Short mmCIF file of all heavy atoms in Angstrom, two decimals:
data_model
loop_
_atom_site.label_atom_id
_atom_site.label_comp_id
_atom_site.label_asym_id
_atom_site.label_seq_id
_atom_site.Cartn_x
_atom_site.Cartn_y
_atom_site.Cartn_z
N GLY A 34 -9.11 23.54 18.11
CA GLY A 34 -10.23 23.02 18.89
C GLY A 34 -11.28 22.40 18.00
O GLY A 34 -11.80 21.32 18.29
N LEU A 35 -11.57 23.06 16.86
CA LEU A 35 -12.53 22.52 15.91
C LEU A 35 -12.04 21.23 15.30
O LEU A 35 -12.80 20.27 15.13
CB LEU A 35 -12.80 23.56 14.81
CG LEU A 35 -13.63 24.77 15.20
CD1 LEU A 35 -13.67 25.77 14.05
CD2 LEU A 35 -15.05 24.36 15.59
N ILE A 36 -10.74 21.19 14.96
CA ILE A 36 -10.17 19.98 14.37
C ILE A 36 -10.20 18.84 15.37
O ILE A 36 -10.54 17.70 15.04
CB ILE A 36 -8.73 20.24 13.89
CG1 ILE A 36 -8.76 21.22 12.71
CG2 ILE A 36 -8.03 18.95 13.49
CD1 ILE A 36 -7.40 21.68 12.27
N LYS A 37 -9.89 19.14 16.63
CA LYS A 37 -9.92 18.10 17.67
C LYS A 37 -11.33 17.55 17.82
O LYS A 37 -11.54 16.33 17.92
CB LYS A 37 -9.45 18.70 19.00
CG LYS A 37 -9.45 17.71 20.16
CD LYS A 37 -8.98 18.39 21.43
CE LYS A 37 -9.03 17.41 22.61
NZ LYS A 37 -8.61 18.07 23.86
N ASP A 38 -12.34 18.44 17.82
CA ASP A 38 -13.73 18.00 17.94
C ASP A 38 -14.13 17.15 16.74
O ASP A 38 -14.85 16.16 16.86
CB ASP A 38 -14.67 19.21 18.04
CG ASP A 38 -14.50 19.94 19.37
OD1 ASP A 38 -13.95 19.34 20.31
OD2 ASP A 38 -14.92 21.11 19.44
N PHE A 39 -13.64 17.53 15.55
CA PHE A 39 -13.94 16.78 14.33
C PHE A 39 -13.40 15.36 14.42
O PHE A 39 -14.07 14.38 14.12
CB PHE A 39 -13.36 17.50 13.11
CG PHE A 39 -13.28 16.64 11.88
CD1 PHE A 39 -14.43 16.26 11.21
CD2 PHE A 39 -12.06 16.20 11.40
CE1 PHE A 39 -14.37 15.47 10.07
CE2 PHE A 39 -11.98 15.41 10.28
CZ PHE A 39 -13.14 15.05 9.62
N PHE A 40 -12.13 15.23 14.84
CA PHE A 40 -11.52 13.91 14.95
C PHE A 40 -12.21 13.06 16.00
O PHE A 40 -12.36 11.85 15.83
CB PHE A 40 -10.04 14.04 15.28
CG PHE A 40 -9.20 14.47 14.10
CD1 PHE A 40 -8.10 15.30 14.27
CD2 PHE A 40 -9.50 14.04 12.82
CE1 PHE A 40 -7.34 15.69 13.19
CE2 PHE A 40 -8.74 14.42 11.74
CZ PHE A 40 -7.66 15.26 11.92
N LEU A 41 -12.63 13.66 17.12
CA LEU A 41 -13.32 12.92 18.17
C LEU A 41 -14.64 12.38 17.62
O LEU A 41 -14.97 11.20 17.83
CB LEU A 41 -13.58 13.83 19.38
CG LEU A 41 -14.36 13.20 20.54
CD1 LEU A 41 -13.60 12.00 21.09
CD2 LEU A 41 -14.59 14.23 21.63
N ALA A 42 -15.39 13.22 16.92
CA ALA A 42 -16.67 12.77 16.36
C ALA A 42 -16.45 11.69 15.31
O ALA A 42 -17.20 10.71 15.23
CB ALA A 42 -17.40 13.97 15.74
N LEU A 43 -15.39 11.86 14.50
CA LEU A 43 -15.10 10.88 13.45
C LEU A 43 -14.70 9.54 14.06
O LEU A 43 -15.08 8.48 13.56
CB LEU A 43 -14.00 11.40 12.54
CG LEU A 43 -13.61 10.52 11.35
CD1 LEU A 43 -14.83 10.26 10.47
CD2 LEU A 43 -12.50 11.17 10.55
N THR A 44 -13.93 9.57 15.15
CA THR A 44 -13.53 8.33 15.83
C THR A 44 -14.75 7.56 16.29
O THR A 44 -14.86 6.34 16.10
CB THR A 44 -12.63 8.65 17.03
OG1 THR A 44 -11.49 9.36 16.59
CG2 THR A 44 -12.18 7.36 17.71
N ILE A 45 -15.69 8.24 16.91
CA ILE A 45 -16.92 7.60 17.38
C ILE A 45 -17.69 7.02 16.21
O ILE A 45 -18.22 5.91 16.26
CB ILE A 45 -17.80 8.61 18.15
CG1 ILE A 45 -17.07 9.07 19.43
CG2 ILE A 45 -19.15 8.01 18.51
CD1 ILE A 45 -17.75 10.21 20.14
N TYR A 46 -17.72 7.78 15.10
CA TYR A 46 -18.44 7.32 13.91
C TYR A 46 -17.80 6.06 13.34
O TYR A 46 -18.48 5.10 12.97
CB TYR A 46 -18.43 8.45 12.87
CG TYR A 46 -19.07 8.11 11.55
CD1 TYR A 46 -20.45 7.96 11.44
CD2 TYR A 46 -18.29 7.93 10.41
CE1 TYR A 46 -21.03 7.65 10.22
CE2 TYR A 46 -18.86 7.63 9.20
CZ TYR A 46 -20.24 7.49 9.11
OH TYR A 46 -20.80 7.19 7.91
N LEU A 47 -16.46 6.08 13.26
CA LEU A 47 -15.74 4.92 12.73
C LEU A 47 -15.98 3.68 13.58
O LEU A 47 -16.27 2.60 13.07
CB LEU A 47 -14.25 5.20 12.67
CG LEU A 47 -13.75 6.11 11.53
CD1 LEU A 47 -12.32 6.52 11.79
CD2 LEU A 47 -13.86 5.41 10.20
N LEU A 48 -15.87 3.84 14.89
CA LEU A 48 -16.02 2.69 15.78
C LEU A 48 -17.44 2.14 15.74
O LEU A 48 -17.68 0.96 15.95
CB LEU A 48 -15.64 3.09 17.21
CG LEU A 48 -14.15 3.42 17.40
CD1 LEU A 48 -13.90 3.89 18.83
CD2 LEU A 48 -13.28 2.22 17.07
N ALA A 49 -18.40 2.99 15.45
CA ALA A 49 -19.79 2.54 15.39
C ALA A 49 -20.01 1.58 14.23
O ALA A 49 -20.93 0.76 14.25
CB ALA A 49 -20.73 3.74 15.24
N PHE A 50 -19.15 1.67 13.22
CA PHE A 50 -19.30 0.81 12.06
C PHE A 50 -18.43 -0.44 12.12
O PHE A 50 -18.44 -1.25 11.22
CB PHE A 50 -18.94 1.60 10.78
CG PHE A 50 -20.09 2.39 10.25
CD1 PHE A 50 -20.31 3.68 10.70
CD2 PHE A 50 -20.94 1.85 9.30
CE1 PHE A 50 -21.37 4.41 10.20
CE2 PHE A 50 -22.00 2.58 8.79
CZ PHE A 50 -22.22 3.87 9.24
N THR A 51 -17.62 -0.57 13.17
CA THR A 51 -16.71 -1.71 13.27
C THR A 51 -17.49 -2.98 13.56
O THR A 51 -18.16 -3.09 14.57
CB THR A 51 -15.68 -1.48 14.39
OG1 THR A 51 -14.96 -0.28 14.12
CG2 THR A 51 -14.69 -2.66 14.45
N VAL A 52 -17.41 -3.94 12.64
CA VAL A 52 -18.09 -5.22 12.81
C VAL A 52 -17.06 -6.32 12.62
O VAL A 52 -16.46 -6.42 11.55
CB VAL A 52 -19.24 -5.40 11.79
CG1 VAL A 52 -19.92 -6.74 12.00
CG2 VAL A 52 -20.24 -4.26 11.92
N GLU A 53 -16.83 -7.12 13.65
CA GLU A 53 -15.82 -8.15 13.57
C GLU A 53 -16.33 -9.36 12.78
O GLU A 53 -17.45 -9.81 12.96
CB GLU A 53 -15.41 -8.60 14.99
CG GLU A 53 -14.75 -7.50 15.81
CD GLU A 53 -13.41 -7.08 15.23
OE1 GLU A 53 -12.79 -7.92 14.54
OE2 GLU A 53 -13.00 -5.94 15.45
N GLY A 54 -15.45 -9.89 11.94
CA GLY A 54 -15.72 -11.17 11.29
C GLY A 54 -16.81 -11.16 10.24
O GLY A 54 -17.39 -12.19 9.93
N GLN A 55 -17.13 -10.01 9.66
CA GLN A 55 -18.23 -9.99 8.70
C GLN A 55 -17.76 -10.33 7.29
O GLN A 55 -18.57 -10.51 6.39
CB GLN A 55 -18.89 -8.61 8.70
CG GLN A 55 -18.02 -7.49 8.14
CD GLN A 55 -18.75 -6.18 8.12
OE1 GLN A 55 -19.75 -6.01 8.80
NE2 GLN A 55 -18.26 -5.24 7.33
N GLY A 56 -16.45 -10.43 7.08
CA GLY A 56 -15.95 -10.76 5.76
C GLY A 56 -16.00 -9.57 4.83
O GLY A 56 -16.17 -8.42 5.24
N VAL A 57 -15.84 -9.85 3.54
CA VAL A 57 -15.84 -8.79 2.53
C VAL A 57 -17.06 -8.99 1.65
O VAL A 57 -17.08 -9.86 0.78
CB VAL A 57 -14.55 -8.84 1.69
CG1 VAL A 57 -14.53 -7.67 0.70
CG2 VAL A 57 -13.32 -8.79 2.58
N ARG A 58 -18.07 -8.20 1.87
CA ARG A 58 -19.33 -8.33 1.12
C ARG A 58 -19.54 -7.21 0.12
O ARG A 58 -20.22 -7.37 -0.88
CB ARG A 58 -20.51 -8.37 2.10
CG ARG A 58 -20.45 -9.53 3.09
CD ARG A 58 -21.54 -9.41 4.13
NE ARG A 58 -21.40 -8.17 4.89
CZ ARG A 58 -22.19 -7.84 5.92
NH1 ARG A 58 -23.17 -8.64 6.28
NH2 ARG A 58 -22.00 -6.70 6.56
N THR A 59 -18.96 -6.03 0.42
CA THR A 59 -19.11 -4.87 -0.47
C THR A 59 -17.77 -4.18 -0.61
O THR A 59 -17.09 -3.91 0.39
CB THR A 59 -20.13 -3.87 0.10
OG1 THR A 59 -21.40 -4.51 0.27
CG2 THR A 59 -20.30 -2.68 -0.84
N VAL A 60 -17.37 -3.90 -1.84
CA VAL A 60 -16.13 -3.18 -2.09
C VAL A 60 -16.44 -1.95 -2.94
O VAL A 60 -17.23 -2.02 -3.88
CB VAL A 60 -15.09 -4.08 -2.79
CG1 VAL A 60 -15.63 -4.63 -4.10
CG2 VAL A 60 -13.78 -3.33 -3.03
N VAL A 61 -15.85 -0.82 -2.56
CA VAL A 61 -16.01 0.40 -3.34
C VAL A 61 -14.71 0.68 -4.07
O VAL A 61 -13.63 0.70 -3.46
CB VAL A 61 -16.39 1.60 -2.45
CG1 VAL A 61 -16.32 2.90 -3.23
CG2 VAL A 61 -17.79 1.40 -1.88
N ILE A 62 -14.80 0.87 -5.38
CA ILE A 62 -13.64 1.14 -6.21
C ILE A 62 -13.71 2.60 -6.68
O ILE A 62 -14.68 3.01 -7.32
CB ILE A 62 -13.58 0.19 -7.42
CG1 ILE A 62 -13.57 -1.26 -6.94
CG2 ILE A 62 -12.35 0.48 -8.26
CD1 ILE A 62 -13.66 -2.28 -8.07
N ASP A 63 -12.68 3.34 -6.36
CA ASP A 63 -12.67 4.78 -6.62
C ASP A 63 -11.61 5.11 -7.66
O ASP A 63 -10.41 5.01 -7.39
CB ASP A 63 -12.38 5.53 -5.31
CG ASP A 63 -12.22 7.02 -5.51
OD1 ASP A 63 -12.98 7.57 -6.33
OD2 ASP A 63 -11.36 7.63 -4.85
N ALA A 64 -12.03 5.47 -8.87
CA ALA A 64 -11.11 5.93 -9.91
C ALA A 64 -10.80 7.39 -9.65
O ALA A 64 -11.67 8.25 -9.71
CB ALA A 64 -11.74 5.75 -11.29
N GLY A 65 -9.54 7.69 -9.35
CA GLY A 65 -9.16 9.05 -8.98
C GLY A 65 -9.41 10.08 -10.06
O GLY A 65 -9.43 9.79 -11.25
N HIS A 66 -9.63 11.32 -9.59
CA HIS A 66 -9.81 12.49 -10.46
C HIS A 66 -11.02 12.31 -11.39
O HIS A 66 -11.96 11.61 -11.05
CB HIS A 66 -8.51 12.77 -11.23
CG HIS A 66 -7.34 12.93 -10.32
ND1 HIS A 66 -7.06 14.10 -9.65
CD2 HIS A 66 -6.39 12.03 -9.91
CE1 HIS A 66 -5.98 13.94 -8.90
NE2 HIS A 66 -5.56 12.69 -9.03
N GLY A 67 -11.02 12.93 -12.57
CA GLY A 67 -12.15 12.82 -13.49
C GLY A 67 -12.76 14.16 -13.83
O GLY A 67 -12.70 15.12 -13.05
N GLY A 68 -13.37 14.23 -15.02
CA GLY A 68 -14.04 15.47 -15.45
C GLY A 68 -13.07 16.62 -15.55
O GLY A 68 -12.02 16.53 -16.19
#
Side-chain angles (χ1 to χ4, degrees):
L35 287 174
I36 293 172
K37 179 181 178 182
D38 291 342
F39 164 70
F40 285 144
L41 178 60
L43 183 57
T44 301
I45 296 172
Y46 177 72
L47 284 168
L48 293 177
F50 275 88
T51 302
V52 180
E53 296 294 335
Q55 68 177 18
V57 184
R58 300 173 300 183
T59 302
V60 58
V61 170
I62 303 174
D63 175 39
H66 305 279

